[in-house]
Amino acid sequence: MRSNISLPVIQRVTIRNFALYPGINNAGLDITFADGISVIAGINGIGKTTLLTLLLRMILGPNDPEKATRSVGRVSQRRLVGIKKFDFFSKRVPGALGEDSFATLYFTLGKKNIEVSRYMRDLKIKSVRISGKKYEPQSETDFIDFLGSLSGLLSGYDFHMVVRYLQFFGEDRIPLLWDAGAQFEFFKILFLEETVASSLNDAFAQIQKIDTDYRNRLHQLNKRKESLPPATPNSAHIELETLDKMIQEATEAHTEAESQFLSKKNEYDELQKQLRKLDNMSDEAQIELAQLELQFSQTDAMFILQALPSLHDKEMFLMQGYATGCGCFICGSKSKKQLDNIGKKIRKGHCFACDATINNSKPSNVTPISSRQVRTLEEKIEDLRNSSEQIEVQRSEIEQKIHDASRSFREAVNLRNSALHKREYLEIQRPSQNQKPIVGLQAEIDREQDALDILAENRREFTARYRTAVDRAQDRMGELKGTLESALTSYATAFLQEEVKVAFSRQTPFKIATGADRVNIPTFTINMTSSTHKIAHERLQSNSVSESQKEFLDLAFRMTLLDMVNDNGSIMLVIETPEASLDSWFMRRAADLMRRFAPENTDISRKVIATSNVNGTQMIPALLGLVQDDGTITKLPAERENHLINLLDLTPPPAALDQQEVLSLLSEELGKFLHAK
């Protein structure tokens, strides 16, 4: 293992002028993450996942691996590229974001304190400070390469992969324990010496490149073989007259294909034009509808104000329900006591609804409004809504036509390209006026087959080099076998009730490329008991365990790797808790697993940042260590309140919170472990 590997540990994040996170009194968000577990709590749609994504992207920036793939063990292009239009956060708020909307992340990397600020509109770097000193990277990838060098990893690409897929267990998480190639990729990044890791990466890239070239050329060769005429005694020589006829036929076919292509292209372009026109009409209708609805609200209000000009009128209208025995128009209460209370407030000069002081009971500057004017606006709004619905119906029809037309368009493109290739190929075979007809196609096929044989031999040679490098990796993994087995078994047993054993295998088949021979790589597998297997047996696939077992065994594997690479330094894990797959018993076990990884009040800073829904389960109090052995829940002490980030207090309330029933349920849930304020 390479020495002195450090990974980022987030200390604090601030967010300014971003509508999703206005904070208390619109002061923005300022969150400090304490050692141990910090729980980001809220309900669906309130911004928990977006906040975790922001923490990740504040470190990594708007970058992704080139030719990103879900199978991280099969990447040959180990490079990062910038995302051309990174609008993940700007799309989550209305209106354009200016330069005053930015976030700042404070984190440590080894002995360095790093402060990076990024604009929320596109996450580009605003400023960077390293241990108090200003640092100006030339580009985003330059900054990630710099962080990679500070971490002790071999490249910015390796740093990106470790942070994104090992330290962050979010929505885009990938299986590590259950994917042999992914396991070996992270063993290579974290534990293998630079010479061995580089040998593996170089050989893998060469095998992939050669294999791609081989398969593409073989495909073209097979098409050329299909172009050969049937074997005859004179098949070695294609007569010039026959070749000219084939060229003429190919030219006619290409002309027809070109005509079909242009027709389909014009049809597709026209449909796109119609869709854009409907989009503009829809936008204009929505704007006009919003304006009319606002005008209607104002007109409706003025009509009521005009109808009830004096304080006495308003009082008589609102109290009519009590007077007639129908009860309050708002809540339905029929208590006469409420009638007396309302009268007392009004006589004392206070509004009984909002308790404001009544200065003047008569409205001023009220334009007389007739009910006909109100109805006219209602009719306009209804007509506009019907028009908008018709536009949406037309858009759906056009989108379906575009879907059908795009398929025909692609077929026409392929047909045209194929016809052009065939014509050009035949024209190349035709000798010039000064040449005698020669055998060209068969000779070219033979030369191409010889070239493919050389490529196949080169692929075998690099596969042998890769296998040799794997053998060196086997030795290193054998040295770490005992440590990994012990740590993973400990974490897995902490979560599962079953007996768990970890097995090390040196002979897991791994397919490097389509045409390459398989190579056996070192991996770890889980053996465990179950209700039907009293003796622990091997679980090679993720579908051989339950959903909750799969998720948290994979999490335990990440914890194990972080412990092994950490070497008693600060460490962090960010988790989007998969509560949906857990029953109440597993929730407590999962919380215990996370608290075991990041205990509080230790000499070494260890952190878990986890999201959880306020949904009536014990997950949040369990994560905070508030659930007792008998199942009772204690209150969160004041000195530990910073371990709970309650987004219900820091974000705009979603529509669900407009319902009193929902508010009552959430208040009751939080009241189980929070002191009343």
Side-chain angles (χ1 to χ4, degrees):
M1 180 172 68
R2 296 183 297 281
S3 60
N4 300 322
I5 290 180
S6 302
L7 298 177
V9 178
I10 295 172
Q11 307 296 331
R12 176 187 173 203
V13 65
T14 63
I15 307 172
R16 298 289 180 260
N17 300 309
F18 186 62
L20 184 60
Y21 302 121
I24 299 174
N25 297 324
N26 289 318
L29 233 56
D30 190 339
I31 301 173
T32 298
F33 298 98
D35 290 347
I37 294 185
S38 295
V39 181
I40 300 173
I43 61 177
N44 289 336
I46 205 165
K48 301 187 301 297
T49 299
T50 300
L51 185 55
L52 290 197
T53 303
L54 180 64
L55 296 179
L56 172 68
R57 287 296 181 177
M58 287 297 292
I59 299 173
L60 300 181
N63 297 289
D64 277 337
E66 185 176 9
K67 298 181 180 179
T69 173
R70 297 292 290 176
S71 183
V72 298
R74 301 183 182 278
V75 177
S76 59
Q77 302 293 337
R78 304 173 66 83
R79 293 192 296 267
L80 298 175
V81 293
I83 302 173
K84 291 183 178 179
K85 184 181 180 182
F86 191 85
D87 55 1
F88 179 87
F89 299 105
S90 62
K91 287 167 64 176
R92 276 153 177 75
V93 293
L97 295 175
E99 293 193 354
D100 62 340
S101 178
F102 63 92
T104 302
L105 188 74
Y106 303 82
F107 64 97
T108 59
L109 190 55
K111 296 182 179 180
K112 301 290 187 181
N113 294 314
I114 300 174
E115 174 186 334
V116 57
S117 295
R118 295 180 179 276
Y119 296 108
M120 293 299 295
R121 63 190 175 205
D122 53 15
L123 230 61
K124 288 184 179 178
I125 291 175
K126 179 177 183 288
S127 64
V128 177
R129 301 187 75 84
I130 309 294
S131 296
K133 296 182 179 179
K134 188 175 182 181
Y135 171 72
E136 296 182 356
Q138 295 181 355
S139 65
E140 288 284 356
T141 53
D142 180 56
F143 180 51
I144 300 302
D145 287 340
F146 175 70
L147 294 180
S149 65
L150 289 181
S151 70
L153 295 170
L154 297 182
S155 66
Y157 174 86
D158 287 355
F159 179 82
H160 181 106
M161 299 300 287
V162 169
V163 173
R164 183 170 181 176
Y165 294 121
L166 186 60
Q167 283 196 281
F168 278 74
F169 191 68
E171 274 193 339
D172 66 342
R173 56 182 172 265
I174 57 174
L176 298 187
L177 177 62
W178 311 105
D179 184 334
Q183 264 199 49
F184 190 57
E185 173 69 13
F186 279 88
F187 293 158
K188 177 176 59 180
I189 291 175
L190 297 173
F191 304 125
L192 300 186
E193 297 295 339
E194 181 175 357
T195 53
V196 179
S198 296
S199 296
L200 287 167
N201 290 337
D202 293 344
F204 187 90
Q206 287 295 332
I207 294 168
Q208 288 277 320
K209 180 180 178 181
I210 292 172
D211 186 69
T212 299
D213 188 22
Y214 181 92
R215 287 185 290 109
N216 289 339
R217 293 174 68 170
L218 179 62
H219 176 70
Q220 294 298 324
L221 178 62
N222 289 335
K223 291 180 66 175
R224 293 177 185 178
K225 287 181 178 179
E226 293 173 0
S227 300
L228 285 172
T232 64
N234 298 321
S235 61
H237 298 273
I238 300 177
E239 296 182 2
L240 186 59
E241 182 179 348
T242 301
L243 185 58
D244 284 341
K245 184 177 180 181
M246 293 172 65
I247 291 174
Q248 181 180 356
E249 292 174 351
T251 301
E252 292 172 354
H254 174 247
T255 300
E256 176 61 26
E258 182 72 20
S259 176
Q260 288 291 324
F261 163 76
L262 292 175
S263 174
K264 297 298 182 182
K265 182 178 183 301
N266 290 336
E267 179 185 353
Y268 182 79
D269 290 345
E270 178 60 28
L271 288 171
Q272 289 285 2
K273 182 179 178 182
Q274 293 178 28
L275 183 60
R276 288 193 295 272
K277 181 179 179 181
L278 288 172
D279 286 340
N280 291 335
M281 292 172 62
S282 178
D283 291 343
E284 291 172 358
Q286 291 300 321
I287 292 172
E288 185 178 352
L289 180 60
Q291 292 172 342
L292 281 174
E293 288 176 339
L294 176 60
Q295 183 181 351
F296 174 77
S297 298
Q298 294 172 340
T299 302
D300 195 31
M302 286 192 294
F303 179 80
I304 294 173
L305 195 60
Q306 172 187 306
L308 304 172
S310 70
L311 177 61
H312 178 72
D313 293 328
K314 298 178 179 66
E315 180 183 353
M316 290 297 293
F317 174 74
L318 293 172
M319 295 174 65
Q320 187 176 3
Y322 288 109
T324 59
C326 295
C328 177
F329 289 161
I330 306 300
C331 65
S333 172
K334 299 182 180 180
S335 172
K336 297 295 184 179
K337 183 179 179 180
Q338 298 300 326
L339 195 60
D340 294 336
N341 291 337
I342 292 172
K344 287 178 182 179
K345 280 196 172 185
I346 293 175
R347 286 192 295 275
K348 289 181 180 181
H350 291 277
C351 173
F352 74 90
C354 63
D355 207 34
T357 302
I358 302 173
N359 295 319
N360 186 2
S361 63
K362 294 184 177 181
S364 60
N365 298 324
V366 176
T367 302
I369 299 295
S370 67
S371 60
R372 181 176 180 82
Q373 288 176 281
V374 177
R375 287 196 299 271
T376 300
L377 277 176
E378 286 179 325
E379 292 170 358
K380 287 183 178 179
I381 290 173
E382 184 62 27
D383 291 343
L384 199 52
R385 285 175 177 166
N386 292 336
S387 177
S388 296
E389 291 175 0
Q390 289 300 315
I391 291 173
E392 288 304 313
V393 170
Q394 294 179 51
R395 285 188 79 262
S396 299
E397 293 175 353
I398 292 296
E399 286 177 343
Q400 181 60 47
K401 290 180 179 179
I402 288 176
H403 178 269
D404 297 338
S406 63
R407 182 170 60 251
S408 300
F409 183 36
R410 288 193 298 270
E411 292 173 354
V413 171
N414 294 334
L415 182 62
R416 181 189 67 162
N417 292 342
S418 176
L420 176 62
H421 175 77
K422 183 175 181 180
R423 190 197 73 184
E424 290 177 341
Y425 180 75
L426 290 172
E427 288 174 343
I428 292 174
Q429 306 306 312
R430 193 186 192 288
S432 64
Q433 295 289 341
N434 298 326
Q435 291 178 315
K436 296 180 179 180
I438 59 173
V439 180
L441 183 57
Q442 185 61 56
E444 185 176 341
I445 288 175
D446 292 341
R447 288 194 298 271
E448 184 65 8
Q449 186 61 61
D450 292 340
L452 286 175
D453 292 341
I454 294 173
L455 283 176
E457 181 59 35
N458 290 339
R459 186 172 56 190
R460 283 190 291 270
E461 178 184 343
F462 279 105
T463 301
R465 293 185 190 180
Y466 187 83
R467 188 175 286 111
T468 300
V470 169
D471 290 340
R472 295 170 65 188
Q474 296 267 20
D475 296 336
R476 178 58 184 148
M477 293 311 302
E479 297 172 8
L480 299 171
K481 169 179 174 290
T483 302
L484 192 146
E485 288 179 349
S486 175
L488 182 53
T489 299
S490 176
Y491 278 130
T493 305
F495 174 67
L496 301 171
Q497 195 173 22
E498 308 293 345
E499 178 186 349
V500 178
K501 294 182 180 179
V502 179
F504 176 67
S505 172
R506 297 174 180 267
Q507 302 298 321
T508 302
F510 179 60
K511 190 72 171 176
I512 308 174
T514 303
D517 295 334
R518 292 182 181 271
V519 176
N520 293 331
I521 58 176
T523 57
F524 290 85
T525 56
I526 293 289
N527 296 332
M528 57 181 282
T529 59
S530 68
S531 59
T532 55
H533 293 81
K534 301 307 179 184
I535 299 177
H537 70 287
E538 194 171 41
R539 310 296 181 95
L540 294 176
Q541 305 293 330
S542 61
N543 58 10
S544 61
V545 295
S546 70
E547 187 67 23
S548 59
Q549 290 173 337
K550 177 187 73 173
E551 293 281 1
F552 280 94
L553 283 172
D554 211 23
L555 179 60
F557 184 64
R558 284 168 164 83
M559 292 176 173
T560 299
L561 295 182
L562 289 172
D563 277 345
M564 292 177 65
V565 77
N566 182 40
D567 194 23
N568 293 323
S570 299
I571 201 69
M572 174 194 72
L573 183 60
V574 181
I575 304 171
E576 186 155 19
T577 309
E579 301 156 305
S581 63
L582 299 177
D583 55 36
S584 57
W585 187 87
F586 269 122
M587 281 189 183
R588 291 182 61 180
R589 302 285 287 188
D592 290 342
L593 173 67
M594 288 183 254
R595 295 178 64 245
R596 181 189 182 106
F597 176 79
E600 296 178 31
N601 303 320
T602 59
D603 295 335
I604 303 300
S605 175
R606 296 176 70 94
K607 297 185 180 185
V608 166
I609 301 172
T611 63
S612 183
N613 276 334
V614 182
N615 57 5
T617 68
Q618 289 189 350
M619 179 57 85
I620 295 177
L623 286 170
L624 296 173
L626 304 177
V627 182
Q628 305 304 303
D629 292 338
D630 61 0
T632 59
I633 299 174
T634 60
K635 297 287 186 179
L636 181 66
E639 64 272 14
R640 295 186 61 231
E641 286 184 352
N642 59 334
H643 287 267
L644 178 66
I645 297 100
N646 185 3
L647 291 185
L648 294 172
D649 294 337
L650 302 173
T651 61
L657 296 186
D658 291 338
Q659 303 178 35
Q660 185 60 43
E661 182 182 357
V662 176
L663 278 173
S664 299
L665 287 173
L666 294 177
S667 298
E668 180 183 354
E669 172 63 19
L670 294 172
K672 293 177 182 178
F673 54 88
L674 292 182
H675 292 283
K677 294 184 178 179

